[in-house]
Amino acid sequence: MTLPHLGTLESLPAADHPELLAPPVAAALASWAHAGSPAVTAIDAELADTAAFGDAYGVPPEASANCVLVAGRRDGEERVAACVVRADTRADVNGVVRRLLGVRKCSFLPMERAVAESGMEHGGITPLGLPAGWRVLVDARAVEIETAVIGSGVRRSKLLLPGARLGLLPGAEVVTDLAR
């Protein structure tokens, strides 16, 4: 098996290193039919934020995909979504995302709630292993990344996989211009 290589990252088979993944992410990878052979790489947890990570490990922002959690209400019902966008863009939360969720206003989930409900660490949240019922919206540009770097559910590592696999995540909806 050939592992992806990007910048100065040392890739390891994710299936062999569950200690580098949040439990819900490890479980999702084990049950995901389209997972293929993603890689995981250990990083300095202090460098998990996109800009610091890219600078430290030689990974350009267009190779990373960020996941943000948003929510809105309509008729008393909360609608939550994970938005996956290339790191050199921003999710259009109060435009495209708001319309897709069918709500009047969207906002980012508070950090404490995002961490508690996802079972992942702040700065490591990823679209893999999120609670059932949360929509997964993936910007079409993220799907085009040759080797995408995404969160692993913890700050001390990152996952590497073909961007096309992001569009194959369970329940994923690939959206043109989800990000600006």
Side-chain angles (χ1 to χ4, degrees):
M1 161 181 36
T2 302
L3 294 171
H5 179 76
L6 198 58
T8 60
L9 299 173
E10 183 181 327
S11 299
L12 304 166
D16 296 344
H17 294 279
E19 75 280 3
L20 292 175
L21 308 171
V25 176
L29 279 175
S31 66
W32 182 26
H34 298 290
S37 301
V40 66
T41 184
I43 64 165
D44 181 336
E46 296 300 314
L47 300 172
D49 294 330
T50 305
F53 166 78
D55 289 345
Y57 295 100
V59 176
E62 60 273 10
S64 291
N66 290 335
C67 180
V68 296
L69 303 178
V70 299
R73 290 195 161 293
R74 180 162 189 161
D75 299 328
E77 172 195 354
E78 183 178 53
R79 300 171 184 191
V80 179
C83 301
V84 182
V85 299
R86 247 181 25 195
D88 62 345
T89 66
R90 294 173 157 287
D92 185 2
V93 174
N94 281 306
V96 176
V97 176
R98 179 187 58 78
R99 286 190 295 277
L100 286 168
L101 293 180
V103 297
R104 289 182 48 192
K105 181 182 173 197
C106 265
S107 57
F108 295 101
L109 282 186
M111 179 181 56
E112 297 79 17
R113 182 173 170 211
V115 167
E117 293 185 24
S118 71
M120 301 178 203
E121 296 176 4
H122 176 69
I125 293 177
T126 190
L128 286 155
L130 293 172
W134 288 11
R135 290 177 71 180
V136 178
L137 308 174
V138 181
D139 186 73
R141 286 168 282 208
V143 174
E144 296 170 356
I145 302 171
E146 183 177 344
T147 299
V149 178
I150 63 171
S152 63
V154 295
R155 291 183 63 87
R156 67 184 182 278
S157 66
K158 298 281 187 183
L159 285 170
L160 289 83
L161 70 161
R165 295 259 162 79
L166 296 171
L168 300 174
L169 288 165
E173 303 168 49
V174 178
V175 180
T176 301
D177 295 330
L178 179 69
R180 296 185 273 173

PDB file of all heavy atoms in Angstrom, residues 20-22 41-50 52-53 57 111 115 120-125 151-158:
ATOM      1  N   LEU A  20      -4.353   7.515  17.359  1.00  0.00           N
ATOM      2  CA  LEU A  20      -4.220   8.862  16.797  1.00  0.00           C
ATOM      3  C   LEU A  20      -5.560   9.427  16.320  1.00  0.00           C
ATOM      4  O   LEU A  20      -5.596  10.478  15.691  1.00  0.00           O
ATOM      5  CB  LEU A  20      -3.221   8.856  15.638  1.00  0.00           C
ATOM      6  CG  LEU A  20      -1.768   8.601  16.019  1.00  0.00           C
ATOM      7  CD1 LEU A  20      -0.896   8.487  14.774  1.00  0.00           C
ATOM      8  CD2 LEU A  20      -1.251   9.701  16.945  1.00  0.00           C
ATOM      9  N   LEU A  21      -6.650   8.731  16.632  1.00  0.00           N
ATOM     10  CA  LEU A  21      -7.987   9.145  16.188  1.00  0.00           C
ATOM     11  C   LEU A  21      -8.932   9.260  17.375  1.00  0.00           C
ATOM     12  O   LEU A  21      -8.817   8.504  18.339  1.00  0.00           O
ATOM     13  CB  LEU A  21      -8.564   8.109  15.215  1.00  0.00           C
ATOM     14  CG  LEU A  21      -7.702   7.709  14.020  1.00  0.00           C
ATOM     15  CD1 LEU A  21      -8.336   6.528  13.296  1.00  0.00           C
ATOM     16  CD2 LEU A  21      -7.521   8.886  13.077  1.00  0.00           C
ATOM     17  N   ALA A  22      -9.881  10.186  17.282  1.00  0.00           N
ATOM     18  CA  ALA A  22     -10.949  10.232  18.285  1.00  0.00           C
ATOM     19  C   ALA A  22     -11.782   8.957  18.116  1.00  0.00           C
ATOM     20  O   ALA A  22     -11.931   8.461  16.986  1.00  0.00           O
ATOM     21  CB  ALA A  22     -11.817  11.468  18.092  1.00  0.00           C
ATOM     22  N   THR A  41      -1.346  11.133  10.398  1.00  0.00           N
ATOM     23  CA  THR A  41      -0.018  11.628  10.721  1.00  0.00           C
ATOM     24  C   THR A  41      -0.067  12.334  12.063  1.00  0.00           C
ATOM     25  O   THR A  41      -0.987  13.104  12.330  1.00  0.00           O
ATOM     26  CB  THR A  41       0.515  12.577   9.623  1.00  0.00           C
ATOM     27  OG1 THR A  41       1.845  12.958   9.926  1.00  0.00           O
ATOM     28  CG2 THR A  41      -0.347  13.806   9.457  1.00  0.00           C
ATOM     29  N   ALA A  42       0.884  12.036  12.915  1.00  0.00           N
ATOM     30  CA  ALA A  42       0.982  12.712  14.196  1.00  0.00           C
ATOM     31  C   ALA A  42       1.551  14.102  13.979  1.00  0.00           C
ATOM     32  O   ALA A  42       2.442  14.296  13.151  1.00  0.00           O
ATOM     33  CB  ALA A  42       1.882  11.911  15.142  1.00  0.00           C
ATOM     34  N   ILE A  43       1.007  15.075  14.705  1.00  0.00           N
ATOM     35  CA  ILE A  43       1.504  16.453  14.632  1.00  0.00           C
ATOM     36  C   ILE A  43       1.593  17.009  16.052  1.00  0.00           C
ATOM     37  O   ILE A  43       1.056  16.428  16.996  1.00  0.00           O
ATOM     38  CB  ILE A  43       0.604  17.358  13.759  1.00  0.00           C
ATOM     39  CG1 ILE A  43      -0.797  17.494  14.382  1.00  0.00           C
ATOM     40  CG2 ILE A  43       0.525  16.850  12.329  1.00  0.00           C
ATOM     41  CD1 ILE A  43      -1.620  18.630  13.806  1.00  0.00           C
ATOM     42  N   ASP A  44       2.209  18.143  16.178  1.00  0.00           N
ATOM     43  CA  ASP A  44       2.247  18.863  17.441  1.00  0.00           C
ATOM     44  C   ASP A  44       0.864  19.473  17.654  1.00  0.00           C
ATOM     45  O   ASP A  44       0.389  20.255  16.823  1.00  0.00           O
ATOM     46  CB  ASP A  44       3.321  19.952  17.367  1.00  0.00           C
ATOM     47  CG  ASP A  44       3.467  20.763  18.631  1.00  0.00           C
ATOM     48  OD1 ASP A  44       2.505  20.851  19.430  1.00  0.00           O
ATOM     49  OD2 ASP A  44       4.551  21.344  18.821  1.00  0.00           O
ATOM     50  N   ALA A  45       0.199  19.137  18.750  1.00  0.00           N
ATOM     51  CA  ALA A  45      -1.156  19.632  19.020  1.00  0.00           C
ATOM     52  C   ALA A  45      -1.220  21.157  19.052  1.00  0.00           C
ATOM     53  O   ALA A  45      -2.258  21.747  18.731  1.00  0.00           O
ATOM     54  CB  ALA A  45      -1.671  19.056  20.334  1.00  0.00           C
ATOM     55  N   GLU A  46      -0.126  21.793  19.400  1.00  0.00           N
ATOM     56  CA  GLU A  46      -0.095  23.269  19.428  1.00  0.00           C
ATOM     57  C   GLU A  46      -0.119  23.855  18.019  1.00  0.00           C
ATOM     58  O   GLU A  46      -0.341  25.051  17.854  1.00  0.00           O
ATOM     59  CB  GLU A  46       1.145  23.755  20.176  1.00  0.00           C
ATOM     60  CG  GLU A  46       1.163  23.364  21.641  1.00  0.00           C
ATOM     61  CD  GLU A  46      -0.020  23.930  22.422  1.00  0.00           C
ATOM     62  OE1 GLU A  46      -0.314  25.131  22.265  1.00  0.00           O
ATOM     63  OE2 GLU A  46      -0.636  23.168  23.189  1.00  0.00           O
ATOM     64  N   LEU A  47       0.118  23.008  17.014  1.00  0.00           N
ATOM     65  CA  LEU A  47       0.151  23.466  15.620  1.00  0.00           C
ATOM     66  C   LEU A  47      -1.046  22.952  14.817  1.00  0.00           C
ATOM     67  O   LEU A  47      -0.998  22.894  13.595  1.00  0.00           O
ATOM     68  CB  LEU A  47       1.461  23.001  14.963  1.00  0.00           C
ATOM     69  CG  LEU A  47       2.735  23.513  15.622  1.00  0.00           C
ATOM     70  CD1 LEU A  47       3.954  22.837  15.010  1.00  0.00           C
ATOM     71  CD2 LEU A  47       2.835  25.029  15.525  1.00  0.00           C
ATOM     72  N   ALA A  48      -2.134  22.591  15.491  1.00  0.00           N
ATOM     73  CA  ALA A  48      -3.282  22.004  14.806  1.00  0.00           C
ATOM     74  C   ALA A  48      -4.067  23.015  13.975  1.00  0.00           C
ATOM     75  O   ALA A  48      -4.700  22.641  12.991  1.00  0.00           O
ATOM     76  CB  ALA A  48      -4.220  21.334  15.819  1.00  0.00           C
ATOM     77  N   ASP A  49      -4.052  24.287  14.356  1.00  0.00           N
ATOM     78  CA  ASP A  49      -4.807  25.284  13.601  1.00  0.00           C
ATOM     79  C   ASP A  49      -4.194  25.433  12.214  1.00  0.00           C
ATOM     80  O   ASP A  49      -2.977  25.371  12.037  1.00  0.00           O
ATOM     81  CB  ASP A  49      -4.839  26.607  14.349  1.00  0.00           C
ATOM     82  CG  ASP A  49      -5.631  26.488  15.655  1.00  0.00           C
ATOM     83  OD1 ASP A  49      -6.561  25.664  15.723  1.00  0.00           O
ATOM     84  OD2 ASP A  49      -5.291  27.206  16.606  1.00  0.00           O
ATOM     85  N   THR A  50      -5.040  25.638  11.226  1.00  0.00           N
ATOM     86  CA  THR A  50      -4.665  25.550   9.817  1.00  0.00           C
ATOM     87  C   THR A  50      -3.409  26.330   9.440  1.00  0.00           C
ATOM     88  O   THR A  50      -2.500  25.777   8.832  1.00  0.00           O
ATOM     89  CB  THR A  50      -5.846  25.972   8.932  1.00  0.00           C
ATOM     90  OG1 THR A  50      -6.983  25.160   9.286  1.00  0.00           O
ATOM     91  CG2 THR A  50      -5.541  25.774   7.470  1.00  0.00           C
ATOM     92  N   ALA A  52      -0.936  27.679  11.288  1.00  0.00           N
ATOM     93  CA  ALA A  52       0.261  27.199  11.984  1.00  0.00           C
ATOM     94  C   ALA A  52       0.670  25.825  11.459  1.00  0.00           C
ATOM     95  O   ALA A  52       1.856  25.555  11.259  1.00  0.00           O
ATOM     96  CB  ALA A  52       0.009  27.139  13.490  1.00  0.00           C
ATOM     97  N   PHE A  53      -0.305  24.963  11.233  1.00  0.00           N
ATOM     98  CA  PHE A  53      -0.042  23.628  10.705  1.00  0.00           C
ATOM     99  C   PHE A  53       0.641  23.710   9.339  1.00  0.00           C
ATOM    100  O   PHE A  53       1.667  23.072   9.103  1.00  0.00           O
ATOM    101  CB  PHE A  53      -1.364  22.844  10.600  1.00  0.00           C
ATOM    102  CG  PHE A  53      -1.266  21.599   9.777  1.00  0.00           C
ATOM    103  CD1 PHE A  53      -0.690  20.452  10.309  1.00  0.00           C
ATOM    104  CD2 PHE A  53      -1.732  21.570   8.477  1.00  0.00           C
ATOM    105  CE1 PHE A  53      -0.585  19.299   9.548  1.00  0.00           C
ATOM    106  CE2 PHE A  53      -1.632  20.421   7.714  1.00  0.00           C
ATOM    107  CZ  PHE A  53      -1.057  19.285   8.244  1.00  0.00           C
ATOM    108  N   TYR A  57       4.473  22.357   8.654  1.00  0.00           N
ATOM    109  CA  TYR A  57       4.632  21.082   7.954  1.00  0.00           C
ATOM    110  C   TYR A  57       4.686  21.213   6.426  1.00  0.00           C
ATOM    111  O   TYR A  57       4.693  20.209   5.721  1.00  0.00           O
ATOM    112  CB  TYR A  57       3.506  20.125   8.363  1.00  0.00           C
ATOM    113  CG  TYR A  57       3.589  19.766   9.828  1.00  0.00           C
ATOM    114  CD1 TYR A  57       2.770  20.393  10.751  1.00  0.00           C
ATOM    115  CD2 TYR A  57       4.511  18.823  10.288  1.00  0.00           C
ATOM    116  CE1 TYR A  57       2.841  20.088  12.107  1.00  0.00           C
ATOM    117  CE2 TYR A  57       4.601  18.518  11.636  1.00  0.00           C
ATOM    118  CZ  TYR A  57       3.768  19.148  12.537  1.00  0.00           C
ATOM    119  OH  TYR A  57       3.857  18.850  13.878  1.00  0.00           O
ATOM    120  N   MET A 111     -18.286  26.240  20.971  1.00  0.00           N
ATOM    121  CA  MET A 111     -17.203  25.264  21.078  1.00  0.00           C
ATOM    122  C   MET A 111     -17.538  24.140  22.060  1.00  0.00           C
ATOM    123  O   MET A 111     -17.337  22.971  21.747  1.00  0.00           O
ATOM    124  CB  MET A 111     -15.902  25.942  21.500  1.00  0.00           C
ATOM    125  CG  MET A 111     -14.757  24.948  21.645  1.00  0.00           C
ATOM    126  SD  MET A 111     -13.190  25.632  22.173  1.00  0.00           S
ATOM    127  CE  MET A 111     -13.587  26.448  23.677  1.00  0.00           C
ATOM    128  N   VAL A 115     -17.800  20.189  20.854  1.00  0.00           N
ATOM    129  CA  VAL A 115     -16.913  19.175  21.420  1.00  0.00           C
ATOM    130  C   VAL A 115     -17.734  18.073  22.102  1.00  0.00           C
ATOM    131  O   VAL A 115     -17.509  16.882  21.875  1.00  0.00           O
ATOM    132  CB  VAL A 115     -15.915  19.830  22.407  1.00  0.00           C
ATOM    133  CG1 VAL A 115     -15.200  18.800  23.242  1.00  0.00           C
ATOM    134  CG2 VAL A 115     -14.920  20.698  21.635  1.00  0.00           C
ATOM    135  N   MET A 120     -15.300  14.944  19.771  1.00  0.00           N
ATOM    136  CA  MET A 120     -13.995  15.297  19.204  1.00  0.00           C
ATOM    137  C   MET A 120     -13.454  16.529  19.899  1.00  0.00           C
ATOM    138  O   MET A 120     -14.189  17.239  20.586  1.00  0.00           O
ATOM    139  CB  MET A 120     -14.139  15.554  17.702  1.00  0.00           C
ATOM    140  CG  MET A 120     -14.681  14.364  16.931  1.00  0.00           C
ATOM    141  SD  MET A 120     -14.878  14.755  15.182  1.00  0.00           S
ATOM    142  CE  MET A 120     -16.108  13.537  14.707  1.00  0.00           C
ATOM    143  N   GLU A 121     -12.174  16.785  19.711  1.00  0.00           N
ATOM    144  CA  GLU A 121     -11.530  17.948  20.308  1.00  0.00           C
ATOM    145  C   GLU A 121     -11.691  19.171  19.422  1.00  0.00           C
ATOM    146  O   GLU A 121     -11.669  19.062  18.189  1.00  0.00           O
ATOM    147  CB  GLU A 121     -10.032  17.684  20.506  1.00  0.00           C
ATOM    148  CG  GLU A 121      -9.727  16.581  21.481  1.00  0.00           C
ATOM    149  CD  GLU A 121      -8.241  16.267  21.581  1.00  0.00           C
ATOM    150  OE1 GLU A 121      -7.409  16.950  20.939  1.00  0.00           O
ATOM    151  OE2 GLU A 121      -7.908  15.323  22.324  1.00  0.00           O
ATOM    152  N   HIS A 122     -11.796  20.330  20.054  1.00  0.00           N
ATOM    153  CA  HIS A 122     -11.816  21.593  19.311  1.00  0.00           C
ATOM    154  C   HIS A 122     -10.511  21.699  18.524  1.00  0.00           C
ATOM    155  O   HIS A 122      -9.440  21.440  19.052  1.00  0.00           O
ATOM    156  CB  HIS A 122     -11.958  22.772  20.268  1.00  0.00           C
ATOM    157  CG  HIS A 122     -11.895  24.096  19.590  1.00  0.00           C
ATOM    158  ND1 HIS A 122     -12.883  24.530  18.748  1.00  0.00           N
ATOM    159  CD2 HIS A 122     -10.951  25.057  19.599  1.00  0.00           C
ATOM    160  CE1 HIS A 122     -12.550  25.720  18.269  1.00  0.00           C
ATOM    161  NE2 HIS A 122     -11.389  26.058  18.772  1.00  0.00           N
ATOM    162  N   GLY A 123     -10.603  22.038  17.268  1.00  0.00           N
ATOM    163  CA  GLY A 123      -9.422  22.120  16.420  1.00  0.00           C
ATOM    164  C   GLY A 123      -9.104  20.815  15.720  1.00  0.00           C
ATOM    165  O   GLY A 123      -8.187  20.741  14.919  1.00  0.00           O
ATOM    166  N   GLY A 124      -9.893  19.773  16.002  1.00  0.00           N
ATOM    167  CA  GLY A 124      -9.686  18.480  15.352  1.00  0.00           C
ATOM    168  C   GLY A 124     -10.973  17.921  14.775  1.00  0.00           C
ATOM    169  O   GLY A 124     -10.988  16.814  14.241  1.00  0.00           O
ATOM    170  N   ILE A 125     -12.068  18.685  14.885  1.00  0.00           N
ATOM    171  CA  ILE A 125     -13.368  18.193  14.424  1.00  0.00           C
ATOM    172  C   ILE A 125     -13.320  17.926  12.931  1.00  0.00           C
ATOM    173  O   ILE A 125     -12.792  18.699  12.147  1.00  0.00           O
ATOM    174  CB  ILE A 125     -14.489  19.168  14.810  1.00  0.00           C
ATOM    175  CG1 ILE A 125     -14.633  19.180  16.339  1.00  0.00           C
ATOM    176  CG2 ILE A 125     -15.809  18.780  14.139  1.00  0.00           C
ATOM    177  CD1 ILE A 125     -15.646  20.154  16.887  1.00  0.00           C
ATOM    178  N   GLY A 151      -9.160  16.975   9.767  1.00  0.00           N
ATOM    179  CA  GLY A 151      -9.023  16.641  11.174  1.00  0.00           C
ATOM    180  C   GLY A 151      -9.194  15.149  11.405  1.00  0.00           C
ATOM    181  O   GLY A 151      -9.771  14.426  10.595  1.00  0.00           O
ATOM    182  N   SER A 152      -8.708  14.719  12.554  1.00  0.00           N
ATOM    183  CA  SER A 152      -8.796  13.309  12.940  1.00  0.00           C
ATOM    184  C   SER A 152      -9.668  13.132  14.182  1.00  0.00           C
ATOM    185  O   SER A 152      -9.769  12.040  14.718  1.00  0.00           O
ATOM    186  CB  SER A 152      -7.395  12.776  13.244  1.00  0.00           C
ATOM    187  OG  SER A 152      -6.871  13.483  14.366  1.00  0.00           O
ATOM    188  N   GLY A 153     -10.245  14.241  14.636  1.00  0.00           N
ATOM    189  CA  GLY A 153     -11.034  14.215  15.855  1.00  0.00           C
ATOM    190  C   GLY A 153     -10.231  14.620  17.080  1.00  0.00           C
ATOM    191  O   GLY A 153     -10.793  14.891  18.127  1.00  0.00           O
ATOM    192  N   VAL A 154      -8.906  14.649  16.931  1.00  0.00           N
ATOM    193  CA  VAL A 154      -8.013  15.096  18.003  1.00  0.00           C
ATOM    194  C   VAL A 154      -7.025  16.104  17.420  1.00  0.00           C
ATOM    195  O   VAL A 154      -6.769  16.101  16.218  1.00  0.00           O
ATOM    196  CB  VAL A 154      -7.252  13.918  18.667  1.00  0.00           C
ATOM    197  CG1 VAL A 154      -8.213  12.970  19.376  1.00  0.00           C
ATOM    198  CG2 VAL A 154      -6.414  13.158  17.655  1.00  0.00           C
ATOM    199  N   ARG A 155      -6.473  16.951  18.274  1.00  0.00           N
ATOM    200  CA  ARG A 155      -5.547  17.987  17.799  1.00  0.00           C
ATOM    201  C   ARG A 155      -4.164  17.442  17.464  1.00  0.00           C
ATOM    202  O   ARG A 155      -3.408  18.075  16.740  1.00  0.00           O
ATOM    203  CB  ARG A 155      -5.412  19.100  18.848  1.00  0.00           C
ATOM    204  CG  ARG A 155      -6.663  19.924  19.007  1.00  0.00           C
ATOM    205  CD  ARG A 155      -6.461  21.050  19.993  1.00  0.00           C
ATOM    206  NE  ARG A 155      -5.449  22.014  19.587  1.00  0.00           N
ATOM    207  CZ  ARG A 155      -5.668  23.079  18.809  1.00  0.00           C
ATOM    208  NH1 ARG A 155      -6.873  23.313  18.340  1.00  0.00           N
ATOM    209  NH2 ARG A 155      -4.678  23.905  18.510  1.00  0.00           N
ATOM    210  N   ARG A 156      -3.822  16.284  17.969  1.00  0.00           N
ATOM    211  CA  ARG A 156      -2.448  15.780  17.828  1.00  0.00           C
ATOM    212  C   ARG A 156      -2.202  14.987  16.538  1.00  0.00           C
ATOM    213  O   ARG A 156      -1.133  14.394  16.377  1.00  0.00           O
ATOM    214  CB  ARG A 156      -2.083  14.946  19.046  1.00  0.00           C
ATOM    215  CG  ARG A 156      -2.849  13.666  19.180  1.00  0.00           C
ATOM    216  CD  ARG A 156      -2.497  12.923  20.471  1.00  0.00           C
ATOM    217  NE  ARG A 156      -3.220  11.665  20.552  1.00  0.00           N
ATOM    218  CZ  ARG A 156      -4.468  11.542  20.959  1.00  0.00           C
ATOM    219  NH1 ARG A 156      -5.164  12.602  21.322  1.00  0.00           N
ATOM    220  NH2 ARG A 156      -5.036  10.362  21.007  1.00  0.00           N
ATOM    221  N   SER A 157      -3.175  14.973  15.633  1.00  0.00           N
ATOM    222  CA  SER A 157      -2.967  14.268  14.361  1.00  0.00           C
ATOM    223  C   SER A 157      -3.899  14.808  13.286  1.00  0.00           C
ATOM    224  O   SER A 157      -4.824  15.561  13.572  1.00  0.00           O
ATOM    225  CB  SER A 157      -3.189  12.759  14.536  1.00  0.00           C
ATOM    226  OG  SER A 157      -4.540  12.497  14.843  1.00  0.00           O
ATOM    227  N   LYS A 158      -3.637  14.403  12.061  1.00  0.00           N
ATOM    228  CA  LYS A 158      -4.460  14.762  10.897  1.00  0.00           C
ATOM    229  C   LYS A 158      -4.641  13.514  10.043  1.00  0.00           C
ATOM    230  O   LYS A 158      -3.792  12.630  10.026  1.00  0.00           O
ATOM    231  CB  LYS A 158      -3.790  15.838  10.035  1.00  0.00           C
ATOM    232  CG  LYS A 158      -3.555  17.159  10.716  1.00  0.00           C
ATOM    233  CD  LYS A 158      -4.792  17.995  10.774  1.00  0.00           C
ATOM    234  CE  LYS A 158      -4.466  19.396  11.312  1.00  0.00           C
ATOM    235  NZ  LYS A 158      -5.644  20.222  11.443  1.00  0.00           N
TER     236      LYS A 158
END
